[in-house]
Structure formats: C-alpha cells, structure tokens
Amino acid sequence: MPANQPPVDPAIRLQLLDLLAGFLRTQALHTVAVLGIADIVGDEPVTVEQLAAQVQADPSSLHRVLRVLAGSGVFSEAAPGAFVSTPLSGGLRTDAPLSVRHMAMFQGSDTYLAAGQMLRAVQTGEPTAEMVFGMSFFEHLASDPDRNACFNQAMAGGAGARAAAARDFDWNRVSVVADIGGGNGSVLVGVLGAHEHLSGVVFDQPHVVTAAQPVIEAAGLTERCAVAGGDFFTDELPAADVYVMAQILHDWDDERSLTILRNCRRSIAPDGRLLLLEQVMPDGDTPSYAKLLDLIMLVLLGGKERTESEWRALLAEGGFELLEITPRPATNLIEAAPA
Ligand SMILES: C[S@@+](CC[C@H](N)C(=O)[O-])C[C@H]1O[C@@H](n2cnc3c(N)ncnc32)[C@H](O)[C@@H]1O
C-alpha cells in the first residue's frame, strides 16, 4: 500500500457519507408508506400535528422523517412544519395506478432484512433469505398471508408497465395465452382487456392464484380468463400458444431457470411464442435500476438480472431461440420461439 496517502477531500467524504445514508432513505420511505402519509397529504398544506394525529404517530419524529424525504422531492415543506404533495409523493398513494406504496412497505421490511446480510451473500454466493427467515423467500411469503398479500400488491403495482409492454406484441394469430408465475393476474388482465379475441390462464402457486380471481372478476374477464395453481418446476403447464413470464426467470439461477424453460418448452405450441418481461443488464458503468434489482435477487433468491448475451444463451439452452428484445419503460419485451 502506498505510504503518505493524501487526506480524503471533504467533498468526497460528504459524497460517500450521503451514499452511505441510503438505508435511512429506504426506511423513511418505508415509514411513510406503512403509515399511509401520501394518501393524506394533498395540494393544501397539512401540518405534522394533523398528520401525526391521523396516523397515531409522534409529530416531531414524523417531521424529521418528512423533511429528509422532502429533500429528495418526496413531499414538499410548503411552510414550516406543513407539507404538500409532489409528483414523487403521489407515486406512494394507495390509489395511484402503478403505485409504489406496497413495494416501499415490502422493500423496507423483508428485502431490507435480507440485504442487511449482503456480505454473507457475497462471501458464499448463496441468498441470505434462508439465514434471515429460516426458510426460502417464497416459503417465507407463503408462511404469512398478510406478507404474501403485501408482496402480491407490490408486484401488481409494477404489473401495469409489464402489461403495457406485453400488449404491444402482435397478438393477431394467438388464441390462448398463459401467464406463468402470473401472481394476482394483473399482467394478464391488462393483455386480455386490450385484445378481445384472446383467452388466458394465470398459473402460479395455489396460495397465490387465489388472489387472481377477484382481479379477473373486477376486470369483467371471468369468461375469458381461468386460474390454475401449481409448481412451474414440477407440474405440467397449461397448454397455450403464448407463454408470458414477467419477472420470473430473474428470480432464479441458471439451473433453476433452465428447469422452468424446459417445462415451458414441453407444453408450448410448436409455432408458439415465449414472452419474457425482464430487465436487460447494460454493460459498463451505465447507472441502471437493473443493477440494484440484481442485488435484491442476489440476497432474496440467488437469482440475477442478465445481459442480452446471457438471455440468448440461457434461452438457447432451454430450447428457445431469442428473436427480439424491445426496450419498454421499466422493462423489456423479450420474444423467443421454440428452437
Ligand atoms: C416476482 S413475482 C412476479 C409476478 C408477476 N409475474 C408480475 O410480473 O407481477 C414471481 C412469481 O413467481 C411465483 N412463483 C414462485 N415460485 C413458483 C413456483 N414454484 N411455481 C409457480 N409460481 C411460482 C410467485 O408466487 C410470484 O407470483
């Protein structure tokens, strides 16, 4: 190690200290999301005392959290101790389509605990969920209906963007589409709602697909959309012309992903299509949310985000040819055909 290093520039110190405080922003967002503060704060200033009374919190502590968030544009302190909404705080409203509220609730609790052991994941190459929860991540979700519901709502918050990307596929020659690992059905409902000639099936774990029925009913799609409970590693998948898998393969390492892909390959129509809605990891230093999501996969599941060439190779090994990748807001439409 070279001797006589120059002292760290104070500006660099401050920059690093600010980066280090990222965990506090996560917890501030988590706190206001759990308390539902964004549902209360609107265009008219509301005081921290009024807010605290409504959500049963301590006014002074709530103020300290809100002013940190306001520094990042989440809420604005319009007058001392009184806050108004901003576009970013609006994204935390429960009733906003594409809401991030449940994701903030989830990331600040379960993901946060697993990420707290990231060092162990890096040392061992294993996800930390087992160590933190005493079981795998999906078993942990299954063990508590409230936690499972929160995760499903967190996923459904982003499903609108994935459904929008899937809607753009040319569905003209398709009759039946199956959403494998379709969660509460939000992605498939978005596709079927836009293409009246399609019928579909949501396939997910039995305790998860129960949440799809009300979503399908609310969209008036009971005639065209079925649900099927099962395990995509071991069970035969519903027959379909097109399989959609939205944020499924990023949950799993290559070996587990290949098991799922080969299962799809066995049941898909010979001229069918596989549509993945996933991140494509950019090369180099380009800042990208995919790189952060990749770390969530590392700690929760041992999964990963993949580069274009990694997607191509994985699909080929699983019996599919990658045809096209279309970048879409917040996701990519990856189209593949049976090879
Ligand atoms: C990251 S979520 C994606 C949900 C949905 N596709 C979306 O885009 O919002 C992963 C989904 O995989 C499902 N899943 C996990 N293990 C499964 C298994 N063995 N068989 C079937 N589904 C499974 C989970 O229940 C969950 O709904």
Side-chain angles (χ1 to χ4, degrees):
M1 202 165 61
N4 301 324
Q5 279 286 312
V8 177
D9 183 320
I12 295 286
R13 262 190 69 80
L14 205 52
Q15 203 177 333
L16 283 170
L17 290 174
D18 191 65
L19 278 173
L20 265 176
F23 72 103
L24 295 168
R25 291 195 186 88
T26 304
Q27 285 306 328
L29 284 168
H30 174 251
T31 299
V32 297
V34 172
L35 294 176
I37 299 290
D39 292 348
I40 304 171
V41 178
D43 293 339
E44 295 300 319
V46 52
T47 66
V48 285
E49 286 76 16
Q50 290 169 321
L51 283 172
Q54 276 201 55
V55 302
Q56 292 165 345
D58 173 60
S60 161
S61 307
L62 182 59
H63 189 188
R64 292 157 75 178
V65 167
L66 286 174
R67 71 184 172 197
V68 165
L69 291 175
S72 297
V74 185
F75 305 105
S76 172
E77 193 163 7
F83 289 83
V84 293
S85 62
T86 60
L88 282 177
S89 71
L92 293 171
R93 284 188 65 92
T94 314
D95 58 2
L98 303 178
S99 170
V100 180
R101 181 184 178 200
H102 285 91
M103 190 58 91
M105 290 164 69
F106 195 80
Q107 303 291 45
S109 52
D110 291 82
T111 312
Y112 194 84
L113 291 174
Q117 298 299 322
M118 191 179 291
L119 172 63
R120 295 290 299 279
V122 170
Q123 287 171 326
T124 63
E126 297 295 326
T128 62
E130 193 90 31
M131 180 186 320
V132 174
F133 308 129
M135 59 189 90
S136 77
F137 173 64
F138 283 119
E139 286 167 346
H140 174 62
L141 288 183
S143 71
D144 179 342
D146 287 343
R147 180 181 296 121
N148 187 55
C150 180
F151 177 75
N152 286 342
Q153 283 178 279
M155 293 311 302
R162 293 188 282 285
R167 275 198 294 272
D168 285 355
F169 175 69
D170 179 1
W171 293 96
N172 282 326
R173 282 175 297 144
V174 179
S175 301
V176 183
V177 49
D179 190 353
I180 307 301
N184 75 357
S186 298
V187 172
L188 186 57
V189 159
V191 172
L192 297 186
H195 298 279
E196 288 186 0
H197 69 286
L198 291 177
S199 63
V201 51
V202 183
F203 180 92
D204 205 299
Q205 302 179 93
H207 68 276
V208 174
V209 277
T210 51
Q213 204 60 53
V215 174
I216 293 165
E217 280 169 22
L221 288 168
T222 43
E223 299 290 306
R224 290 196 284 130
C225 192
V227 297
D231 182 335
F232 52 42
F233 291 112
T234 54
D235 292 335
E236 189 177 337
L237 301 177
D241 309 313
V242 169
Y243 285 137
V244 171
M245 287 203 286
Q247 295 210 314
I248 299 302
L249 297 182
H250 81 158
D251 285 346
W252 307 102
D253 62 19
D254 286 353
E255 194 187 328
R256 303 287 278 163
S257 294
L258 284 171
T259 305
I260 301 170
L261 279 173
R262 289 178 181 135
N263 202 7
C264 290
R265 183 68 182 80
R266 270 191 290 277
S267 304
I268 197 166
D271 58 349
R273 289 288 183 270
L274 173 66
L275 303 182
L276 307 180
L277 293 152
E278 294 275 6
Q279 303 295 319
V280 177
M281 183 69 90
D283 293 324
D285 291 343
T286 317
S288 165
Y289 180 67
K291 293 177 180 176
L292 296 171
L293 193 56
D294 182 57
L295 294 184
I296 295 178
M297 297 308 124
L298 173 75
V299 296
L300 284 183
L301 284 148
K304 61 180 178 180
E305 304 303 333
R306 295 176 169 92
T307 62
E308 179 172 345
S309 57
E310 286 172 331
W311 279 121
R312 195 176 297 283
L314 184 77
L315 284 162
E317 218 178 325
F320 289 91
E321 181 192 0
L322 193 160
L323 299 177
E324 197 174 352
I325 297 183
T326 311
R328 301 284 298 150
T331 190
N332 294 265
L333 177 62
I334 304 175
E335 187 181 335

